[in-house]
């Protein structure tokens, strides 16, 4: 247990569905991240939130919409996804006030788009 | 653009062997380098973090080295055990305040009893 939880752990959705992924951290961190991990590709950074403000959007399609209502919670809203969006979506958090600290990762949500 | 390469992509060894995993990166202007472990279907666990000013870090049977000028890092695992079986990921942090990590594709390690 890293102190970062993600729900659901597995999700199967059709291309016309709308769903949301949730991430919650219990570490008192103030920066949160979404990553995508596809088969045979490196982890790709999607979004960065620092102090609840989105500070980076790594050229992610608009069918992915992040939301950070407070420093403990991060959502990824999904709509009109494509089969190639099937992947493991990982959330991470860190203390942005301590530059040398690492990121702590959640267990991920395995997403399958049919 | 920073690129991280890990060699080999997969490695299978008998229990008890010492082994080395390799990581290379194209831009030597890094803040730090980190090795993670990922078990199947799980998130990442940080193993070792080496700051750019450091040459190596050790934790138990693990030793990671960093040669920033040549853009290389190695993860040495001594006396490997079946429980070490996992994917090992190397990530470098570029400068800037957002702590952007660039990952390699990983090395899938299997330690056979």
């Amino acid at each position: 247990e890293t102190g970062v939880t993600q729900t659901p752990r597995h999700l199967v959705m059709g291309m016309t569905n709308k769903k949301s992924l949730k991430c919650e951290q219990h570490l008192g961190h103030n920066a949160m991240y979404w990553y995508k991990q596809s088969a045979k590709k490196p982890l790709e950074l999607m979004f960065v939130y620092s102090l609840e403000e989105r500070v980076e959007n790594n050229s992610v399609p608009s069918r992915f919409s992040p939301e950070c209502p407070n420093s403990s919670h991060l959502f990824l809203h999904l709509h009109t996804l494509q089969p190639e969006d099937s992947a493991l979506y990982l959330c991470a958090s860190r203390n942005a006030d301590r530059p040398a600290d690492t990121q702590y990762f959640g267990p991920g949500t395995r997403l399958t788009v049919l | 653009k920073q690129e991280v390469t890990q060699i080999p992509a997969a490695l299978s060894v008998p229990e008890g062997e010492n082994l080395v995993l390799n990581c290379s990166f194209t831009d030597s202007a890094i803040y730090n380098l980190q090795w993670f472990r990922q078990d199947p279907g799980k998130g990442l666990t940080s193993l070792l973090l080496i700051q750019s000013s450091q040459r190596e870090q050790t934790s138990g049977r693990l030793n990671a080295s960093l040669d920033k000028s040549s853009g290389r890092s190695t993860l040495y695992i001594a006396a490997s055990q079946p429980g070490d079986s996992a994917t090992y990921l190397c990530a470098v942090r570029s400068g800037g305040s957002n702590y952007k990590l660039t990952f390699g594709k990983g090395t899938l390690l299997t330690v056979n009893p």
Side-chain angles (χ1 to χ4, degrees), chain A residues 9 33 37 40 42-43 55-56 90 94 99-103 105-107, chain B residues 31 34 36 38 41-44 49 51 93 98-101 103-105:
Chain A
R9 294 295 309 277
Y33 303 73
Q37 187 176 34
K40 300 187 179 182
L43 263 80
V55 295
E56 184 153 349
L90 292 163
R94 65 179 284 265
D101 277 7
T102 186
Q103 294 180 21
F105 284 80
Chain B
Y31 189 87
Q34 200 162 0
F36 290 89
Q38 185 176 28
K42 300 286 183 65
L44 278 63
L49 187 154
Q51 302 296 341
R93 178 189 164 186
N98 293 339
Y99 205 114
K100 180 174 181 175
L101 293 178
F103 285 83
K105 292 183 181 180

PDB file of all heavy atoms in Angstrom, chain A residues 9 33 37 40 42-43 55-56 90 94 99-103 105-107, chain B residues 31 34 36 38 41-44 49 51 93 98-101 103-105:
ATOM      1  N   ARG A   9     -10.672  -0.822 -10.225  1.00  0.00           N
ATOM      2  CA  ARG A   9      -9.424  -1.451 -10.612  1.00  0.00           C
ATOM      3  C   ARG A   9      -9.502  -1.968 -12.045  1.00  0.00           C
ATOM      4  O   ARG A   9      -8.484  -2.044 -12.738  1.00  0.00           O
ATOM      5  CB  ARG A   9      -9.100  -2.613  -9.669  1.00  0.00           C
ATOM      6  CG  ARG A   9      -8.803  -2.173  -8.234  1.00  0.00           C
ATOM      7  CD  ARG A   9      -7.520  -1.315  -8.148  1.00  0.00           C
ATOM      8  NE  ARG A   9      -6.411  -1.958  -8.813  1.00  0.00           N
ATOM      9  CZ  ARG A   9      -5.660  -2.901  -8.237  1.00  0.00           C
ATOM     10  NH1 ARG A   9      -5.897  -3.288  -7.010  1.00  0.00           N
ATOM     11  NH2 ARG A   9      -4.659  -3.445  -8.906  1.00  0.00           N
ATOM     12  N   TYR A  33      -0.844  13.250 -10.585  1.00  0.00           N
ATOM     13  CA  TYR A  33      -0.493  12.956 -11.975  1.00  0.00           C
ATOM     14  C   TYR A  33      -1.366  11.830 -12.518  1.00  0.00           C
ATOM     15  O   TYR A  33      -1.701  10.893 -11.793  1.00  0.00           O
ATOM     16  CB  TYR A  33       0.967  12.473 -12.062  1.00  0.00           C
ATOM     17  CG  TYR A  33       1.993  13.433 -11.501  1.00  0.00           C
ATOM     18  CD1 TYR A  33       2.130  13.619 -10.130  1.00  0.00           C
ATOM     19  CD2 TYR A  33       2.836  14.144 -12.351  1.00  0.00           C
ATOM     20  CE1 TYR A  33       3.075  14.505  -9.613  1.00  0.00           C
ATOM     21  CE2 TYR A  33       3.791  15.014 -11.842  1.00  0.00           C
ATOM     22  CZ  TYR A  33       3.901  15.183 -10.473  1.00  0.00           C
ATOM     23  OH  TYR A  33       4.842  16.052  -9.975  1.00  0.00           O
ATOM     24  N   GLN A  37      -0.308   3.658 -19.426  1.00  0.00           N
ATOM     25  CA  GLN A  37       0.662   2.602 -19.722  1.00  0.00           C
ATOM     26  C   GLN A  37       0.037   1.616 -20.694  1.00  0.00           C
ATOM     27  O   GLN A  37      -0.825   0.817 -20.319  1.00  0.00           O
ATOM     28  CB  GLN A  37       1.111   1.889 -18.446  1.00  0.00           C
ATOM     29  CG  GLN A  37       2.249   0.889 -18.687  1.00  0.00           C
ATOM     30  CD  GLN A  37       2.752   0.253 -17.401  1.00  0.00           C
ATOM     31  OE1 GLN A  37       1.995   0.022 -16.468  1.00  0.00           O
ATOM     32  NE2 GLN A  37       4.045  -0.038 -17.341  1.00  0.00           N
ATOM     33  N   LYS A  40       3.754  -2.603 -24.357  1.00  0.00           N
ATOM     34  CA  LYS A  40       4.989  -2.429 -25.132  1.00  0.00           C
ATOM     35  C   LYS A  40       5.343  -0.973 -25.410  1.00  0.00           C
ATOM     36  O   LYS A  40       6.077  -0.674 -26.344  1.00  0.00           O
ATOM     37  CB  LYS A  40       4.903  -3.222 -26.447  1.00  0.00           C
ATOM     38  CG  LYS A  40       4.714  -4.713 -26.209  1.00  0.00           C
ATOM     39  CD  LYS A  40       4.786  -5.523 -27.480  1.00  0.00           C
ATOM     40  CE  LYS A  40       4.612  -7.002 -27.169  1.00  0.00           C
ATOM     41  NZ  LYS A  40       4.716  -7.850 -28.366  1.00  0.00           N
ATOM     42  N   PRO A  42       6.387   2.879 -23.261  1.00  0.00           N
ATOM     43  CA  PRO A  42       6.726   3.444 -21.941  1.00  0.00           C
ATOM     44  C   PRO A  42       5.516   4.150 -21.329  1.00  0.00           C
ATOM     45  O   PRO A  42       4.587   4.553 -22.037  1.00  0.00           O
ATOM     46  CB  PRO A  42       7.824   4.458 -22.270  1.00  0.00           C
ATOM     47  CG  PRO A  42       8.273   4.156 -23.649  1.00  0.00           C
ATOM     48  CD  PRO A  42       7.130   3.526 -24.351  1.00  0.00           C
ATOM     49  N   LEU A  43       5.559   4.308 -20.029  1.00  0.00           N
ATOM     50  CA  LEU A  43       4.540   5.128 -19.370  1.00  0.00           C
ATOM     51  C   LEU A  43       4.542   6.523 -19.992  1.00  0.00           C
ATOM     52  O   LEU A  43       5.593   7.135 -20.204  1.00  0.00           O
ATOM     53  CB  LEU A  43       4.841   5.292 -17.881  1.00  0.00           C
ATOM     54  CG  LEU A  43       4.142   4.363 -16.916  1.00  0.00           C
ATOM     55  CD1 LEU A  43       4.844   3.025 -16.889  1.00  0.00           C
ATOM     56  CD2 LEU A  43       4.112   4.967 -15.533  1.00  0.00           C
ATOM     57  N   VAL A  55      -1.252  22.045 -14.465  1.00  0.00           N
ATOM     58  CA  VAL A  55      -0.050  22.728 -14.911  1.00  0.00           C
ATOM     59  C   VAL A  55       0.564  22.092 -16.139  1.00  0.00           C
ATOM     60  O   VAL A  55       1.490  22.628 -16.730  1.00  0.00           O
ATOM     61  CB  VAL A  55       0.999  22.807 -13.775  1.00  0.00           C
ATOM     62  CG1 VAL A  55       0.481  23.667 -12.635  1.00  0.00           C
ATOM     63  CG2 VAL A  55       1.363  21.416 -13.272  1.00  0.00           C
ATOM     64  N   GLU A  56       0.064  20.909 -16.524  1.00  0.00           N
ATOM     65  CA  GLU A  56       0.575  20.289 -17.735  1.00  0.00           C
ATOM     66  C   GLU A  56      -0.492  19.411 -18.357  1.00  0.00           C
ATOM     67  O   GLU A  56      -1.167  18.652 -17.664  1.00  0.00           O
ATOM     68  CB  GLU A  56       1.818  19.451 -17.440  1.00  0.00           C
ATOM     69  CG  GLU A  56       2.470  18.851 -18.685  1.00  0.00           C
ATOM     70  CD  GLU A  56       3.945  18.602 -18.522  1.00  0.00           C
ATOM     71  OE1 GLU A  56       4.534  19.060 -17.541  1.00  0.00           O
ATOM     72  OE2 GLU A  56       4.512  17.937 -19.396  1.00  0.00           O
ATOM     73  N   LEU A  90      -2.547   4.970 -14.557  1.00  0.00           N
ATOM     74  CA  LEU A  90      -1.927   5.081 -13.243  1.00  0.00           C
ATOM     75  C   LEU A  90      -2.000   6.512 -12.734  1.00  0.00           C
ATOM     76  O   LEU A  90      -1.755   7.468 -13.466  1.00  0.00           O
ATOM     77  CB  LEU A  90      -0.459   4.653 -13.316  1.00  0.00           C
ATOM     78  CG  LEU A  90      -0.210   3.174 -13.589  1.00  0.00           C
ATOM     79  CD1 LEU A  90       1.217   2.953 -14.036  1.00  0.00           C
ATOM     80  CD2 LEU A  90      -0.503   2.344 -12.344  1.00  0.00           C
ATOM     81  N   ARG A  94       2.702  13.448  -5.193  1.00  0.00           N
ATOM     82  CA  ARG A  94       3.951  13.790  -4.531  1.00  0.00           C
ATOM     83  C   ARG A  94       3.778  15.101  -3.787  1.00  0.00           C
ATOM     84  O   ARG A  94       2.780  15.806  -3.947  1.00  0.00           O
ATOM     85  CB  ARG A  94       5.101  13.919  -5.532  1.00  0.00           C
ATOM     86  CG  ARG A  94       4.959  15.044  -6.527  1.00  0.00           C
ATOM     87  CD  ARG A  94       6.166  15.084  -7.435  1.00  0.00           C
ATOM     88  NE  ARG A  94       7.316  15.654  -6.755  1.00  0.00           N
ATOM     89  CZ  ARG A  94       7.662  16.933  -6.836  1.00  0.00           C
ATOM     90  NH1 ARG A  94       6.962  17.779  -7.549  1.00  0.00           N
ATOM     91  NH2 ARG A  94       8.740  17.362  -6.197  1.00  0.00           N
ATOM     92  N   PRO A  99      11.322  19.105  -3.658  1.00  0.00           N
ATOM     93  CA  PRO A  99      11.742  18.741  -5.016  1.00  0.00           C
ATOM     94  C   PRO A  99      12.420  17.387  -5.128  1.00  0.00           C
ATOM     95  O   PRO A  99      12.328  16.734  -6.163  1.00  0.00           O
ATOM     96  CB  PRO A  99      12.719  19.866  -5.383  1.00  0.00           C
ATOM     97  CG  PRO A  99      12.352  21.001  -4.516  1.00  0.00           C
ATOM     98  CD  PRO A  99      11.879  20.402  -3.233  1.00  0.00           C
ATOM     99  N   ALA A 100      13.091  16.947  -4.087  1.00  0.00           N
ATOM    100  CA  ALA A 100      13.836  15.686  -4.184  1.00  0.00           C
ATOM    101  C   ALA A 100      12.961  14.460  -3.951  1.00  0.00           C
ATOM    102  O   ALA A 100      13.407  13.339  -4.164  1.00  0.00           O
ATOM    103  CB  ALA A 100      14.996  15.686  -3.193  1.00  0.00           C
ATOM    104  N   ASP A 101      11.721  14.668  -3.512  1.00  0.00           N
ATOM    105  CA  ASP A 101      10.872  13.521  -3.192  1.00  0.00           C
ATOM    106  C   ASP A 101      10.367  12.813  -4.433  1.00  0.00           C
ATOM    107  O   ASP A 101      10.185  13.410  -5.485  1.00  0.00           O
ATOM    108  CB  ASP A 101       9.673  13.985  -2.355  1.00  0.00           C
ATOM    109  CG  ASP A 101      10.016  14.096  -0.887  1.00  0.00           C
ATOM    110  OD1 ASP A 101      11.207  13.949  -0.546  1.00  0.00           O
ATOM    111  OD2 ASP A 101       9.101  14.341  -0.086  1.00  0.00           O
ATOM    112  N   THR A 102      10.083  11.514  -4.260  1.00  0.00           N
ATOM    113  CA  THR A 102       9.593  10.715  -5.375  1.00  0.00           C
ATOM    114  C   THR A 102       8.087  10.836  -5.518  1.00  0.00           C
ATOM    115  O   THR A 102       7.410  11.440  -4.687  1.00  0.00           O
ATOM    116  CB  THR A 102       9.965   9.238  -5.160  1.00  0.00           C
ATOM    117  OG1 THR A 102       9.594   8.487  -6.319  1.00  0.00           O
ATOM    118  CG2 THR A 102       9.239   8.654  -3.943  1.00  0.00           C
ATOM    119  N   GLN A 103       7.583  10.281  -6.593  1.00  0.00           N
ATOM    120  CA  GLN A 103       6.141  10.138  -6.772  1.00  0.00           C
ATOM    121  C   GLN A 103       5.705   8.793  -6.194  1.00  0.00           C
ATOM    122  O   GLN A 103       6.444   7.821  -6.258  1.00  0.00           O
ATOM    123  CB  GLN A 103       5.781  10.169  -8.258  1.00  0.00           C
ATOM    124  CG  GLN A 103       6.048  11.501  -8.930  1.00  0.00           C
ATOM    125  CD  GLN A 103       5.673  11.497 -10.396  1.00  0.00           C
ATOM    126  OE1 GLN A 103       4.877  10.675 -10.844  1.00  0.00           O
ATOM    127  NE2 GLN A 103       6.220  12.422 -11.152  1.00  0.00           N
ATOM    128  N   PHE A 105       2.809   5.918  -6.538  1.00  0.00           N
ATOM    129  CA  PHE A 105       1.849   5.465  -7.537  1.00  0.00           C
ATOM    130  C   PHE A 105       0.737   4.632  -6.919  1.00  0.00           C
ATOM    131  O   PHE A 105       0.964   3.847  -5.990  1.00  0.00           O
ATOM    132  CB  PHE A 105       2.553   4.632  -8.611  1.00  0.00           C
ATOM    133  CG  PHE A 105       3.332   5.449  -9.594  1.00  0.00           C
ATOM    134  CD1 PHE A 105       4.594   5.923  -9.275  1.00  0.00           C
ATOM    135  CD2 PHE A 105       2.792   5.758 -10.831  1.00  0.00           C
ATOM    136  CE1 PHE A 105       5.314   6.683 -10.188  1.00  0.00           C
ATOM    137  CE2 PHE A 105       3.503   6.521 -11.749  1.00  0.00           C
ATOM    138  CZ  PHE A 105       4.772   6.975 -11.426  1.00  0.00           C
ATOM    139  N   GLY A 106      -0.453   4.771  -7.487  1.00  0.00           N
ATOM    140  CA  GLY A 106      -1.551   3.884  -7.161  1.00  0.00           C
ATOM    141  C   GLY A 106      -1.455   2.589  -7.952  1.00  0.00           C
ATOM    142  O   GLY A 106      -0.571   2.443  -8.800  1.00  0.00           O
ATOM    143  N   PRO A 107      -2.364   1.640  -7.702  1.00  0.00           N
ATOM    144  CA  PRO A 107      -2.304   0.330  -8.352  1.00  0.00           C
ATOM    145  C   PRO A 107      -2.784   0.352  -9.797  1.00  0.00           C
ATOM    146  O   PRO A 107      -2.569  -0.609 -10.531  1.00  0.00           O
ATOM    147  CB  PRO A 107      -3.212  -0.533  -7.491  1.00  0.00           C
ATOM    148  CG  PRO A 107      -4.196   0.438  -6.919  1.00  0.00           C
ATOM    149  CD  PRO A 107      -3.440   1.712  -6.708  1.00  0.00           C
TER     150      PRO A 107
ATOM    151  N   TYR B  31      17.641  15.878 -13.459  1.00  0.00           N
ATOM    152  CA  TYR B  31      17.604  16.254 -12.041  1.00  0.00           C
ATOM    153  C   TYR B  31      17.917  15.027 -11.190  1.00  0.00           C
ATOM    154  O   TYR B  31      18.647  15.100 -10.213  1.00  0.00           O
ATOM    155  CB  TYR B  31      16.232  16.821 -11.712  1.00  0.00           C
ATOM    156  CG  TYR B  31      16.117  17.437 -10.343  1.00  0.00           C
ATOM    157  CD1 TYR B  31      16.463  18.769 -10.134  1.00  0.00           C
ATOM    158  CD2 TYR B  31      15.656  16.687  -9.267  1.00  0.00           C
ATOM    159  CE1 TYR B  31      16.349  19.324  -8.882  1.00  0.00           C
ATOM    160  CE2 TYR B  31      15.543  17.237  -8.002  1.00  0.00           C
ATOM    161  CZ  TYR B  31      15.885  18.567  -7.818  1.00  0.00           C
ATOM    162  OH  TYR B  31      15.774  19.111  -6.577  1.00  0.00           O
ATOM    163  N   GLN B  34      15.569   7.351 -11.368  1.00  0.00           N
ATOM    164  CA  GLN B  34      14.893   6.490 -10.415  1.00  0.00           C
ATOM    165  C   GLN B  34      14.650   5.122 -11.033  1.00  0.00           C
ATOM    166  O   GLN B  34      14.348   5.015 -12.227  1.00  0.00           O
ATOM    167  CB  GLN B  34      13.553   7.148 -10.049  1.00  0.00           C
ATOM    168  CG  GLN B  34      12.930   6.690  -8.777  1.00  0.00           C
ATOM    169  CD  GLN B  34      11.872   7.673  -8.289  1.00  0.00           C
ATOM    170  OE1 GLN B  34      11.606   8.691  -8.901  1.00  0.00           O
ATOM    171  NE2 GLN B  34      11.276   7.358  -7.152  1.00  0.00           N
ATOM    172  N   PHE B  36      12.181   1.806 -10.607  1.00  0.00           N
ATOM    173  CA  PHE B  36      10.914   1.345 -10.045  1.00  0.00           C
ATOM    174  C   PHE B  36      10.762  -0.149 -10.316  1.00  0.00           C
ATOM    175  O   PHE B  36      11.309  -0.696 -11.263  1.00  0.00           O
ATOM    176  CB  PHE B  36       9.716   2.051 -10.707  1.00  0.00           C
ATOM    177  CG  PHE B  36       9.567   3.502 -10.381  1.00  0.00           C
ATOM    178  CD1 PHE B  36      10.198   4.462 -11.161  1.00  0.00           C
ATOM    179  CD2 PHE B  36       8.760   3.921  -9.334  1.00  0.00           C
ATOM    180  CE1 PHE B  36      10.039   5.808 -10.891  1.00  0.00           C
ATOM    181  CE2 PHE B  36       8.592   5.267  -9.054  1.00  0.00           C
ATOM    182  CZ  PHE B  36       9.237   6.218  -9.834  1.00  0.00           C
ATOM    183  N   GLN B  38       7.579  -2.968 -10.939  1.00  0.00           N
ATOM    184  CA  GLN B  38       6.146  -3.108 -11.195  1.00  0.00           C
ATOM    185  C   GLN B  38       5.801  -4.587 -11.287  1.00  0.00           C
ATOM    186  O   GLN B  38       6.311  -5.300 -12.153  1.00  0.00           O
ATOM    187  CB  GLN B  38       5.736  -2.392 -12.497  1.00  0.00           C
ATOM    188  CG  GLN B  38       4.236  -2.410 -12.734  1.00  0.00           C
ATOM    189  CD  GLN B  38       3.823  -1.629 -13.958  1.00  0.00           C
ATOM    190  OE1 GLN B  38       4.579  -1.493 -14.912  1.00  0.00           O
ATOM    191  NE2 GLN B  38       2.613  -1.083 -13.943  1.00  0.00           N
ATOM    192  N   GLY B  41       0.035  -6.135 -13.399  1.00  0.00           N
ATOM    193  CA  GLY B  41      -1.251  -5.504 -13.109  1.00  0.00           C
ATOM    194  C   GLY B  41      -1.242  -4.559 -11.929  1.00  0.00           C
ATOM    195  O   GLY B  41      -2.306  -4.138 -11.461  1.00  0.00           O
ATOM    196  N   LYS B  42      -0.069  -4.215 -11.450  1.00  0.00           N
ATOM    197  CA  LYS B  42       0.010  -3.356 -10.257  1.00  0.00           C
ATOM    198  C   LYS B  42       0.661  -2.014 -10.600  1.00  0.00           C
ATOM    199  O   LYS B  42       1.160  -1.800 -11.701  1.00  0.00           O
ATOM    200  CB  LYS B  42       0.863  -4.063  -9.186  1.00  0.00           C
ATOM    201  CG  LYS B  42       0.321  -5.415  -8.736  1.00  0.00           C
ATOM    202  CD  LYS B  42      -0.866  -5.285  -7.851  1.00  0.00           C
ATOM    203  CE  LYS B  42      -1.366  -6.623  -7.331  1.00  0.00           C
ATOM    204  NZ  LYS B  42      -0.387  -7.287  -6.452  1.00  0.00           N
ATOM    205  N   GLY B  43       0.664  -1.141  -9.610  1.00  0.00           N
ATOM    206  CA  GLY B  43       1.334   0.134  -9.777  1.00  0.00           C
ATOM    207  C   GLY B  43       2.835   0.008  -9.608  1.00  0.00           C
ATOM    208  O   GLY B  43       3.378  -1.092  -9.531  1.00  0.00           O
ATOM    209  N   LEU B  44       3.499   1.139  -9.531  1.00  0.00           N
ATOM    210  CA  LEU B  44       4.954   1.178  -9.443  1.00  0.00           C
ATOM    211  C   LEU B  44       5.401   1.399  -8.009  1.00  0.00           C
ATOM    212  O   LEU B  44       4.801   2.188  -7.279  1.00  0.00           O
ATOM    213  CB  LEU B  44       5.497   2.329 -10.296  1.00  0.00           C
ATOM    214  CG  LEU B  44       5.657   2.093 -11.794  1.00  0.00           C
ATOM    215  CD1 LEU B  44       4.334   1.830 -12.480  1.00  0.00           C
ATOM    216  CD2 LEU B  44       6.378   3.267 -12.432  1.00  0.00           C
ATOM    217  N   LEU B  49      16.462   5.997  -5.803  1.00  0.00           N
ATOM    218  CA  LEU B  49      16.471   7.297  -6.449  1.00  0.00           C
ATOM    219  C   LEU B  49      17.872   7.867  -6.320  1.00  0.00           C
ATOM    220  O   LEU B  49      18.404   7.940  -5.204  1.00  0.00           O
ATOM    221  CB  LEU B  49      15.439   8.230  -5.809  1.00  0.00           C
ATOM    222  CG  LEU B  49      15.198   9.590  -6.473  1.00  0.00           C
ATOM    223  CD1 LEU B  49      13.792  10.083  -6.159  1.00  0.00           C
ATOM    224  CD2 LEU B  49      16.208  10.624  -6.020  1.00  0.00           C
ATOM    225  N   GLN B  51      20.173  11.154  -7.092  1.00  0.00           N
ATOM    226  CA  GLN B  51      20.216  12.556  -7.490  1.00  0.00           C
ATOM    227  C   GLN B  51      21.331  12.746  -8.518  1.00  0.00           C
ATOM    228  O   GLN B  51      22.284  11.965  -8.579  1.00  0.00           O
ATOM    229  CB  GLN B  51      20.443  13.455  -6.272  1.00  0.00           C
ATOM    230  CG  GLN B  51      19.405  13.313  -5.184  1.00  0.00           C
ATOM    231  CD  GLN B  51      18.010  13.744  -5.615  1.00  0.00           C
ATOM    232  OE1 GLN B  51      17.834  14.471  -6.591  1.00  0.00           O
ATOM    233  NE2 GLN B  51      16.996  13.279  -4.896  1.00  0.00           N
ATOM    234  N   ARG B  93      14.166  12.251 -14.365  1.00  0.00           N
ATOM    235  CA  ARG B  93      13.425  13.482 -14.138  1.00  0.00           C
ATOM    236  C   ARG B  93      14.189  14.632 -14.777  1.00  0.00           C
ATOM    237  O   ARG B  93      15.351  14.854 -14.470  1.00  0.00           O
ATOM    238  CB  ARG B  93      13.247  13.740 -12.657  1.00  0.00           C
ATOM    239  CG  ARG B  93      12.517  15.056 -12.391  1.00  0.00           C
ATOM    240  CD  ARG B  93      12.512  15.460 -10.952  1.00  0.00           C
ATOM    241  NE  ARG B  93      12.156  16.861 -10.821  1.00  0.00           N
ATOM    242  CZ  ARG B  93      12.174  17.526  -9.676  1.00  0.00           C
ATOM    243  NH1 ARG B  93      12.528  16.910  -8.565  1.00  0.00           N
ATOM    244  NH2 ARG B  93      11.843  18.787  -9.627  1.00  0.00           N
ATOM    245  N   ASN B  98       7.550  20.724 -12.368  1.00  0.00           N
ATOM    246  CA  ASN B  98       6.428  19.800 -12.428  1.00  0.00           C
ATOM    247  C   ASN B  98       6.840  18.349 -12.267  1.00  0.00           C
ATOM    248  O   ASN B  98       6.007  17.467 -12.370  1.00  0.00           O
ATOM    249  CB  ASN B  98       5.665  19.964 -13.746  1.00  0.00           C
ATOM    250  CG  ASN B  98       4.983  21.298 -13.826  1.00  0.00           C
ATOM    251  OD1 ASN B  98       4.748  21.937 -12.811  1.00  0.00           O
ATOM    252  ND2 ASN B  98       4.691  21.721 -15.031  1.00  0.00           N
ATOM    253  N   TYR B  99       8.114  18.108 -12.031  1.00  0.00           N
ATOM    254  CA  TYR B  99       8.583  16.755 -11.769  1.00  0.00           C
ATOM    255  C   TYR B  99       8.153  15.808 -12.886  1.00  0.00           C
ATOM    256  O   TYR B  99       7.519  14.797 -12.662  1.00  0.00           O
ATOM    257  CB  TYR B  99       8.025  16.255 -10.444  1.00  0.00           C
ATOM    258  CG  TYR B  99       8.862  15.173  -9.792  1.00  0.00           C
ATOM    259  CD1 TYR B  99       9.502  15.410  -8.590  1.00  0.00           C
ATOM    260  CD2 TYR B  99       8.997  13.918 -10.358  1.00  0.00           C
ATOM    261  CE1 TYR B  99      10.252  14.438  -7.965  1.00  0.00           C
ATOM    262  CE2 TYR B  99       9.754  12.939  -9.746  1.00  0.00           C
ATOM    263  CZ  TYR B  99      10.377  13.201  -8.540  1.00  0.00           C
ATOM    264  OH  TYR B  99      11.115  12.231  -7.927  1.00  0.00           O
ATOM    265  N   LYS B 100       8.531  16.161 -14.119  1.00  0.00           N
ATOM    266  CA  LYS B 100       8.158  15.303 -15.232  1.00  0.00           C
ATOM    267  C   LYS B 100       9.136  14.142 -15.330  1.00  0.00           C
ATOM    268  O   LYS B 100      10.339  14.337 -15.405  1.00  0.00           O
ATOM    269  CB  LYS B 100       8.182  16.095 -16.537  1.00  0.00           C
ATOM    270  CG  LYS B 100       7.791  15.265 -17.750  1.00  0.00           C
ATOM    271  CD  LYS B 100       7.682  16.132 -18.989  1.00  0.00           C
ATOM    272  CE  LYS B 100       7.269  15.304 -20.192  1.00  0.00           C
ATOM    273  NZ  LYS B 100       7.045  16.145 -21.381  1.00  0.00           N
ATOM    274  N   LEU B 101       8.593  12.927 -15.298  1.00  0.00           N
ATOM    275  CA  LEU B 101       9.408  11.716 -15.416  1.00  0.00           C
ATOM    276  C   LEU B 101       9.275  11.149 -16.820  1.00  0.00           C
ATOM    277  O   LEU B 101       8.172  11.057 -17.351  1.00  0.00           O
ATOM    278  CB  LEU B 101       8.952  10.657 -14.410  1.00  0.00           C
ATOM    279  CG  LEU B 101       9.170  10.964 -12.931  1.00  0.00           C
ATOM    280  CD1 LEU B 101       8.618   9.839 -12.072  1.00  0.00           C
ATOM    281  CD2 LEU B 101      10.638  11.172 -12.635  1.00  0.00           C
ATOM    282  N   PHE B 103      10.004   7.680 -18.795  1.00  0.00           N
ATOM    283  CA  PHE B 103      10.229   6.272 -18.481  1.00  0.00           C
ATOM    284  C   PHE B 103      10.784   5.499 -19.669  1.00  0.00           C
ATOM    285  O   PHE B 103      10.496   5.813 -20.829  1.00  0.00           O
ATOM    286  CB  PHE B 103       8.908   5.608 -18.073  1.00  0.00           C
ATOM    287  CG  PHE B 103       8.433   5.956 -16.696  1.00  0.00           C
ATOM    288  CD1 PHE B 103       7.723   7.114 -16.465  1.00  0.00           C
ATOM    289  CD2 PHE B 103       8.688   5.108 -15.631  1.00  0.00           C
ATOM    290  CE1 PHE B 103       7.266   7.435 -15.190  1.00  0.00           C
ATOM    291  CE2 PHE B 103       8.242   5.410 -14.357  1.00  0.00           C
ATOM    292  CZ  PHE B 103       7.529   6.578 -14.138  1.00  0.00           C
ATOM    293  N   GLY B 104      11.543   4.448 -19.363  1.00  0.00           N
ATOM    294  CA  GLY B 104      11.869   3.437 -20.346  1.00  0.00           C
ATOM    295  C   GLY B 104      10.745   2.416 -20.424  1.00  0.00           C
ATOM    296  O   GLY B 104       9.778   2.477 -19.654  1.00  0.00           O
ATOM    297  N   LYS B 105      10.873   1.462 -21.365  1.00  0.00           N
ATOM    298  CA  LYS B 105       9.835   0.450 -21.527  1.00  0.00           C
ATOM    299  C   LYS B 105       9.932  -0.644 -20.471  1.00  0.00           C
ATOM    300  O   LYS B 105       8.993  -1.422 -20.306  1.00  0.00           O
ATOM    301  CB  LYS B 105       9.928  -0.185 -22.915  1.00  0.00           C
ATOM    302  CG  LYS B 105       9.580   0.748 -24.054  1.00  0.00           C
ATOM    303  CD  LYS B 105       9.625   0.015 -25.385  1.00  0.00           C
ATOM    304  CE  LYS B 105       9.301   0.960 -26.520  1.00  0.00           C
ATOM    305  NZ  LYS B 105       9.352   0.257 -27.840  1.00  0.00           N
TER     306      LYS B 105
END
